Amino acid sequence: MAIPYEFGYQKPATLQEAIALLAEHDKNARILAGGTDLVNELKQGFRVPEILIDIKGITELKNIQLVDDQLEIGALVTFSEILHSKILHDNAYILFEAAGLVASNGVRNRATMVGNICSAVACMDSASPLLVHDAVIHLISSQGERNVPIQKWFDDNRKTTIRPNELVTHVSIPIPKVKYAGAYQKMMRYSGEDLSQANVGVLLFADNTVHVAFGSVGPIPKRSPKIENLLKAKGLSADTIEEAKQMIEKVIAPITDVRASKEYRLHMCKVMFVRALNTAQARIKKPKLITKKLHYEKKCLQSE
Amino acid sequence: MKKNVFSLNDEIRSIYINPNETLLEVLRDKLGVKSPKCGCDSGDCGACTVLIDGKSVRSCLILAIEVDGSTISTLEGISKDGLSPLQKAFHEHNVFQCGYCAPGMILSATELLKKNPHPSEHDIKEAIAGNLCRCTGYIPVIEAILDFTKKD
Ligand code: FES
Ligand code: FES
């Protein structure tokens, strides 16, 4: 299907040029990074920009780096690059794990994590891992810089709090001071390329604090303070985990659509919550478990 | 219209394109390179796979204007001097039936073997997971690749 209308295209070489272009065209402009969502949206007429601003020429947006106790992931970092990053593997394993489940290799070679949370399609994979890690989105515009905590980022399905003249430069993740381990669970019809029907992210800390987020079970992905507080107050005994599991019915309200019924989603969220928690518990005890199990990813790391 | 210059199967091509043309359309309709196929046109099937700078990508989700300065290979390039050894292995195993998925499948396998010359069955499945095939049931594809990697 051809894209049925015309638009302009600019590829700025610097962040300053990109910001100036955005200021000039405001809501008529659209940022192009990997394009795996955007090109589909253009074909469907969901977005009709006057101009695309391709940011792939801006090298400073390509970094994955550890700056003090902050992990920074640039706007141009693709899921394949996440899967090749030792820094991410060692410091935000849950993100690494989720990246390996995004679509297929041919899409991951192009699709960016920042693009994923900017498209904000409800079934995205990056949101739950970023939510449990309390990530912060860093934006820039001609008016200056702005930071948005990920919990305030999503407005609705496919809608975020980004302003028309803004550009995401990177996402940062604070490295916790205590020991921690995460786990990501994704429910899909077949492995290898499907969108998630529901997903759960869990981050467990050495002091037994738990962060838990649910994705693809509502218009926006969400943390659940209710469950987190319960686990904090009562610990991680089998009884409390069972109580938390039952609580899931009250904290999420999935819908029925072509990919799954609401009952199935709800049931599987309970199952996946327990699985993720168990995995995180095993990982926090034995961090080595991680590399041993994921042998495909280990090979990726070796070939770096 | 903007002039784009890129390397396609080891030849430098320059061509005028509109920003709204996808790479798949330009390859097939303007440059006559027909191995990338249009299956789903939305990134799901892998029939339109090409390699850009050695990485497999979906040409239906890339605007042609984005590839200015890149190096693109398609199946035509890979089999320039006759069938590649990998293609021969596919041939020997009588892998494909209709063949619609073949170019994408072969390019995904080519990318994999370059990074990882001795992949496990799991690695192979992961690499071709995005290449949908309606005929083979995938088993012969996996067998051919495994067999090929044992040969060398
Ligand atoms: S035609 Fe591009 S992925 Fe199906
Ligand atoms: S051989 Fe027919 S689609 Fe694969």
Side-chain angles (χ1 to χ4, degrees):
Chain A
M1 186 182 19
I3 299 170
Y5 51 88
E6 299 199 346
F7 44 79
Y9 172 91
Q10 291 282 339
K11 189 172 178 181
T14 65
L15 202 49
Q16 277 58 43
E17 282 174 51
I19 297 164
L21 278 167
L22 267 174
E24 184 187 336
H25 296 278
D26 205 64
K27 42 181 170 320
N28 299 322
R30 200 73 207 157
I31 298 288
L32 170 65
T36 49
D37 279 327
L38 182 59
V39 174
N40 268 330
E41 292 174 348
L42 295 172
K43 287 179 185 174
Q44 293 156 1
F46 180 75
R47 304 221 190 259
V48 192
E50 275 170 19
I51 180 170
L52 294 185
I53 304 173
D54 185 348
I55 56 171
K56 284 193 288 293
I58 309 174
T59 39
E60 64 198 277
L61 304 181
K62 293 186 180 159
N63 297 334
I64 300 177
Q65 54 190 3
L66 202 51
V67 182
D68 302 323
D69 59 347
Q70 300 285 323
L71 193 57
E72 296 186 354
I73 304 165
L76 288 172
V77 172
T78 64
F79 287 109
S80 289
E81 283 159 358
I82 290 181
L83 284 172
H84 282 79
S85 163
K86 177 125 174 56
I87 298 182
L88 286 176
H89 176 273
D90 294 348
N91 294 290
Y93 188 76
I94 182 173
L95 196 59
F96 186 89
E97 189 173 34
L101 295 169
V102 173
S104 56
N105 181 46
V107 173
R108 292 196 292 262
N109 276 340
R110 200 82 185 166
T112 64
M113 184 198 77
V114 166
N116 196 226
I117 57 167
C118 285
S119 302
V121 180
C123 58
M124 75 198 114
D125 284 299
S126 326
S128 299
L130 292 175
L131 277 163
V132 294
H133 264 292
D134 288 317
V136 175
I137 326 283
H138 299 258
L139 301 128
I140 194 164
S141 71
S142 50
Q143 267 113 52
E145 293 178 19
R146 188 165 78 100
N147 297 342
V148 181
I150 182 112
Q151 297 221 42
K152 299 224 169 87
W153 175 247
F154 301 105
D155 262 357
D156 200 347
N157 183 26
R158 295 175 148 196
K159 270 193 81 175
T160 69
T161 51
I162 196 168
R163 298 176 187 146
N165 63 348
E166 282 180 328
L167 169 81
V168 176
T169 53
H170 63 283
V171 169
S172 67
I173 292 176
I175 304 286
K177 300 235 168 0
V178 297
K179 211 170 143 196
Y180 59 97
Y184 181 70
Q185 289 278 326
K186 170 174 176 173
M187 172 172 98
M188 44 190 172
R189 289 166 301 181
Y190 47 91
S191 66
E193 97 152 335
D194 205 11
L195 301 171
S196 77
Q197 297 164 311
N199 67 62
V200 180
V202 162
L203 191 66
L204 172 68
F205 299 85
D207 61 0
N208 271 346
T209 306
V210 178
H211 291 174
V212 52
F214 297 95
S216 205
V217 285
I220 63 170
K222 270 190 195 148
R223 282 271 291 273
S224 170
K226 265 196 187 152
I227 295 179
E228 293 177 5
N229 292 339
L230 172 81
L231 296 172
K232 179 89 206 158
K234 292 193 174 173
L236 299 178
S237 69
D239 286 349
T240 321
I241 292 174
E242 187 55 38
E243 202 181 327
K245 208 173 133 185
Q246 297 315 321
M247 208 178 237
I248 293 177
E249 286 181 24
K250 302 206 183 72
V251 300
I252 58 168
I255 54 160
T256 294
D257 66 11
V258 283
R259 283 181 294 117
S261 69
K262 74 169 194 271
E263 292 80 5
Y264 183 45
R265 283 193 159 106
L266 204 54
H267 175 76
M268 285 307 292
C269 276
K270 294 181 188 172
V271 174
M272 291 193 295
F273 163 68
V274 177
R275 280 184 195 157
L277 194 58
N278 287 343
T279 313
Q281 278 179 307
R283 284 176 182 168
I284 206 165
K285 277 189 216 128
K286 270 200 198 145
K288 286 250 164 59
L289 217 81
I290 287 174
T291 15
K292 228 194 267 160
K293 246 183 77 199
L294 286 147
H295 122 123
Y296 158 73
E297 289 153 10
K298 202 170 132 210
K299 276 215 182 113
C300 281
L301 283 172
Q302 280 167 351
S303 61
E304 226 176 344
Chain B
M1 286 255 175
K2 188 181 157 280
K3 189 170 167 186
N4 257 30
V5 183
F6 50 87
S7 154
L8 174 62
N9 297 329
D10 296 329
E11 280 173 35
I12 301 295
R13 308 295 295 252
S14 66
I15 179 170
Y16 283 91
I17 41 191
N18 280 319
N20 66 351
E21 292 175 281
T22 63
L23 178 59
L24 179 61
E25 289 165 336
V26 168
L27 285 174
R28 288 185 59 85
D29 304 340
K30 289 199 164 165
L31 295 169
V33 173
K34 301 285 189 184
S35 76
K37 307 275 184 277
C38 184
C40 64
D41 207 22
S42 57
D44 297 320
C45 75
C48 66
T49 301
V50 302
L51 300 181
I52 296 188
D53 301 325
K55 292 189 183 139
S56 66
V57 295
R58 308 288 200 232
S59 64
C60 70
L61 292 186
I62 292 175
L63 301 173
I65 204 160
E66 292 177 69
V67 303
D68 191 26
S70 315
T71 300
I72 301 171
S73 340
T74 67
L75 200 65
E76 284 85 348
I78 286 188
S79 49
K80 230 182 198 162
D81 310 311
L83 293 184
S84 73
L86 178 67
Q87 282 178 293
K88 282 192 189 130
F90 275 94
H91 212 211
E92 276 161 29
H93 279 257
N94 202 9
V95 167
F96 298 111
Q97 291 175 37
C98 80
Y100 204 79
C101 67
M105 203 70 95
I106 294 167
L107 290 174
S108 293
T110 304
E111 181 197 24
L112 168 75
L113 296 177
K114 192 140 201 204
K115 282 195 298 201
N116 181 357
H118 297 285
S120 66
E121 188 174 329
H122 178 85
D123 300 333
I124 296 173
K125 284 187 182 163
E126 184 62 40
I128 61 166
N131 294 92
L132 304 188
C133 173
R134 294 296 262 168
C135 310
T136 64
Y138 306 100
I139 307 282
V141 182
I142 297 164
E143 281 173 356
I145 301 173
L146 268 179
D147 198 38
F148 173 75
T149 58
K150 278 188 199 124
K151 271 185 204 148
D152 57 27

